[in-house]
Amino acid sequence: MKFLALEEWAAASAAYDADSPPYWHAKIVPDAFTALSGVLWSASYTLMANSGFKDKSYAMPIYSLCLNIAWETVFGFVYGPGLLNQIVFAQWMVVDAFLVYTTVKYGRQQWRQQPMIANNLGLIMAVGIFLALCLHFAAAATFVPVIGRRVVPFTAWILQMFISIGSLAQLISRGHTQGHTLGIWMRLHQPPVSPTPDGVDLKGKVALITGASAGIGQDTACQLLALNLSTLILGVRNQAKGAEVKRLLLADPAIKRTNPDAIVKIVKMEMSEYRSIKACATTVNGEVSRLDLLVLNAGMAETHYELAPTGHERIMQVNYLSNVLLLFELLPLLIATATKTGTPSRVTWVGSRMHYRSSLIASKPVDSNAHVLDHFDDKDNFFSIARYGDSKMLGVMFTYELAMRLPKERVVINNVCPGTTHTNMGDFLIFPLRMLFHLVHYFIARSVEDAGRLVVHAAVVAGPESHGQFLIDKDIRPPHEFITTPAGQVVQKKLWSETFEEMTGLGAPGLERLEQMKHL
């Protein structure tokens, strides 16, 4: 098979074996490193497979696993540089079989949002390995005549670069370590977002959006005003940025044309401080006589552990507890508005499908005798990549619990994931990870306009059937299987009890109103 350069490989191997090295250890040292790497990689692969079975997940990115198996086949056996290498590669291939098994068996759950991929993982793996074999054979045929045996480390270096990039992207995309220290390969596609239907008219209504000075919050504000919203309240941390957003909104040609009398107010809120949230609610209650819509969009991500002024871990404070307090502070006004208008008020909490990757599911479950909030305040339970998903998990659980107690005839509350979006969310990462984050987003993220359209859909288009539901794009999705388990329900009930107790201590007026509604 001359076209595979096997004769050139044989000649290069023979020359290597016949060569007399200038130092006695010139061949022993590489062989020793080969044996050591064989042991370490075998241990790594075994741990990956074991973790995959334990977490019901999978390890390598699919494309990485295909490339890796093909490389081991081509350069371990066809162009194998010696018996020792072939023994090492044979070990890897055995463990690779388990990696393929966990990928096909558990990958369906991980790719459930993409049925075409989920239902054809075996075929995808087979085709991927075949194409990777063709690629590696082509590389060998091209480079063996040029660089001889050095083709093995050369192609290995290139392979590891691609595997590392893919695995790092998985970690960022998945946000947890189930199945491996790396997660699922990034979603390859997000479905297009259909326009907001005609006929939605928000004239006379009042809405408050938190985190409205940039990104999804700002675009959601723009779209609501374009739908003739009469009064918009921007909840912002930086009032100067809020004033600039207000200027941009009122100067928008579409808004000037369709809603020239729109009123935009700015209210300051520091999401890490309870007193700021209460002050914001006091301002809102004093400035408007009605509130038809509350969009809880404010959120953050961070790589390091830090306590907020409240004593809680900062990400949990900003993404969960402060949102709950604001909701309970404004709940009486939302209910009063519904009573006055005869139409349910709306609360939409901007969540994330990353709650599917919460550390609660496998890596750091809450002890049976532990408090949920204390668990997340404990520095030992802080894993930066997973914490954002953890905070969104608590938001979803709270939504489910509140909906059981809050009649949808008064207030419809839902939780929506707008998908991977072009925002500054990754700016907290260190420079190399930030660059990779933005590179990945360049190919897969949707625009803030599309993301805002999904928030608007959940907030003013989705019907009462969305009450107490989690939406991905415009579709209602069932609770994650963990939430429905006995262990998940224990966490959810404890979370509600602890949150209710904390809000009671803060004197949130919505709690009393919620209790009163039990008797209506």
Side-chain angles (χ1 to χ4, degrees):
M1 300 180 72
K2 190 172 183 179
F3 71 94
L4 292 179
L6 292 177
E7 294 181 2
E8 289 88 343
W9 174 260
S13 296
Y16 176 82
D17 293 335
D19 185 37
S20 298
Y23 306 104
W24 67 270
H25 57 273
K27 291 185 178 180
I28 296 177
V29 171
D31 286 345
F33 274 105
T34 297
L36 178 61
S37 68
V39 172
L40 293 177
W41 275 110
S42 295
S44 176
Y45 285 179
T46 302
L47 290 172
M48 287 182 192
N50 180 68
S51 183
F53 281 109
K54 183 180 71 173
D55 295 339
K56 294 184 178 180
S57 184
Y58 68 91
M60 280 193 192
I62 293 174
Y63 93 97
S64 298
L65 185 55
C66 292
L67 284 172
N68 197 57
I69 291 173
W71 185 86
E72 290 169 359
T73 301
V74 172
F75 295 103
F77 299 100
V78 180
Y79 300 90
L83 179 61
L84 175 62
N85 281 273
Q86 292 177 354
I87 293 173
V88 169
F89 278 64
Q91 297 177 48
W92 293 348
M93 294 294 286
V94 171
V95 186
D96 280 342
F98 290 98
L99 295 178
V100 171
Y101 178 80
T102 56
T103 300
V104 175
K105 181 175 178 62
Y106 302 122
R108 295 186 181 93
Q109 173 67 15
Q110 305 288 358
W111 286 96
R112 62 189 179 279
Q113 310 300 340
Q114 297 290 338
M116 182 175 293
I117 297 177
N119 297 330
N120 296 282
L121 277 175
L123 177 61
I124 291 171
M125 288 291 301
V127 172
I129 292 172
F130 173 76
L131 293 176
L133 284 169
C134 294
L135 176 66
H136 289 309
F137 273 122
T142 301
F143 293 108
V144 165
V146 180
I147 58 177
R149 288 168 57 99
R150 284 177 293 175
V151 71
V152 177
F154 174 70
T155 54
W157 183 85
I158 295 176
L159 174 68
Q160 286 302 316
M161 180 180 68
F162 278 100
I163 290 177
S164 298
I165 292 172
S167 298
L168 192 56
Q170 282 186 150
L171 180 60
I172 295 172
S173 176
R174 179 183 256 186
H176 71 91
T177 60
Q178 292 175 31
H180 189 21
T181 52
L182 310 163
I184 324 173
W185 179 233
M186 63 180 132
R187 294 187 56 172
L188 301 179
H189 171 69
Q190 292 191 101
V193 179
S194 57
T196 301
D198 295 334
V200 178
D201 189 348
L202 304 180
K203 185 174 180 60
K205 295 190 175 184
V206 179
L208 166 61
I209 304 177
T210 66
S213 61
I216 297 174
Q218 180 178 341
D219 208 274
T220 300
C222 184
Q223 293 186 42
L224 290 176
L225 288 174
L227 293 173
N228 214 21
L229 180 73
S230 292
T231 302
L232 173 65
I233 305 171
L234 305 176
V236 298
R237 183 177 62 175
N238 186 318
Q239 289 183 297
K241 288 183 67 175
E244 175 62 13
V245 170
K246 174 181 177 178
R247 185 190 69 79
L248 291 173
L249 290 172
L250 295 179
D252 185 278
I255 295 173
K256 290 176 70 175
R257 182 178 65 256
T258 62
N259 194 8
D261 299 324
I263 298 172
V264 177
K265 297 176 178 287
I266 301 170
V267 60
K268 178 178 174 58
M269 59 169 60
E270 172 51 67
M271 294 295 289
S272 64
E273 299 177 4
Y274 279 144
R275 63 181 181 180
S276 178
I277 301 301
K278 292 182 75 69
C280 167
T282 299
T283 300
V284 172
N285 280 303
E287 291 194 4
V288 295
S289 60
R290 63 185 288 174
L291 183 62
D292 302 88
L293 170 62
L294 173 62
V295 178
L296 301 172
N297 172 70
M300 65 168 291
E302 190 50 84
T303 57
H304 63 276
Y305 176 86
E306 181 182 350
L307 291 177
T310 61
H312 292 290
E313 190 275 319
R314 184 177 177 84
I315 296 175
M316 282 296 172
Q317 181 65 55
V318 171
N319 294 6
Y320 175 64
L321 288 166
S322 290
N323 281 302
V324 173
L325 177 59
L326 181 63
L327 171 53
F328 278 137
E329 287 284 333
L330 296 175
L331 187 58
L333 182 56
L334 288 161
I335 294 173
T337 301
T339 302
K340 184 192 317 182
T341 63
T343 302
S345 297
R346 308 288 295 238
V347 177
T348 289
W349 193 327
V350 179
S352 171
R353 69 197 75 191
M354 284 187 70
H355 83 267
Y356 291 160
R357 320 298 176 200
S358 169
S359 65
L360 289 176
I361 298 171
S363 56
K364 288 188 179 295
V366 178
D367 292 337
S368 58
N369 59 347
H371 290 279
V372 178
L373 296 179
D374 289 346
H375 172 88
F376 287 111
D377 287 339
D378 188 343
K379 188 175 182 178
D380 290 340
N381 295 324
F382 181 85
F383 180 57
S384 60
I385 297 296
R387 182 47 56 98
Y388 181 79
D390 290 337
S391 68
K392 296 302 182 180
M393 172 65 87
L394 299 197
V396 168
M397 287 182 164
F398 174 85
T399 300
Y400 292 148
E401 285 292 318
L402 179 59
M404 299 178 194
R405 299 163 172 81
L406 187 61
K408 61 185 177 182
E409 293 77 17
R410 299 299 180 89
V411 179
V412 172
I413 177 171
N414 53 38
N415 194 298
V416 61
C417 172
T420 305
T421 307
H422 287 293
T423 67
N424 60 359
M425 197 66 176
D427 288 354
F428 70 97
L429 296 167
I430 60 174
F431 180 76
L433 293 182
R434 186 166 67 250
M435 292 301 98
L436 180 59
F437 180 90
H438 289 306
L439 176 63
V440 171
H441 274 56
Y442 177 81
F443 292 103
I444 69 170
R446 56 171 45 117
S447 66
V448 290
E449 180 181 3
D450 279 348
R453 197 174 293 135
L454 293 173
V455 176
V456 168
H457 172 85
V460 301
V461 178
E465 71 280 357
S466 71
H467 183 54
Q469 300 293 331
F470 175 65
L471 290 79
I472 290 183
D473 297 341
K474 296 185 178 182
D475 301 321
I476 294 174
R477 298 301 173 91
H480 185 275
E481 59 184 14
F482 165 75
I483 297 176
T484 63
T485 63
Q489 282 298 293
V490 168
V491 173
Q492 183 170 304
K493 300 299 181 185
K494 288 172 68 173
L495 174 67
W496 173 263
S497 177
E498 293 173 26
T499 303
F500 195 92
E501 181 179 355
E502 176 119 352
M503 297 301 119
T504 300
L506 294 167
L511 301 179
E512 182 180 352
R513 191 70 183 91
L514 197 62
E515 289 294 307
Q516 292 172 356
M517 297 190 72
K518 289 182 180 180
H519 309 292
L520 295 179

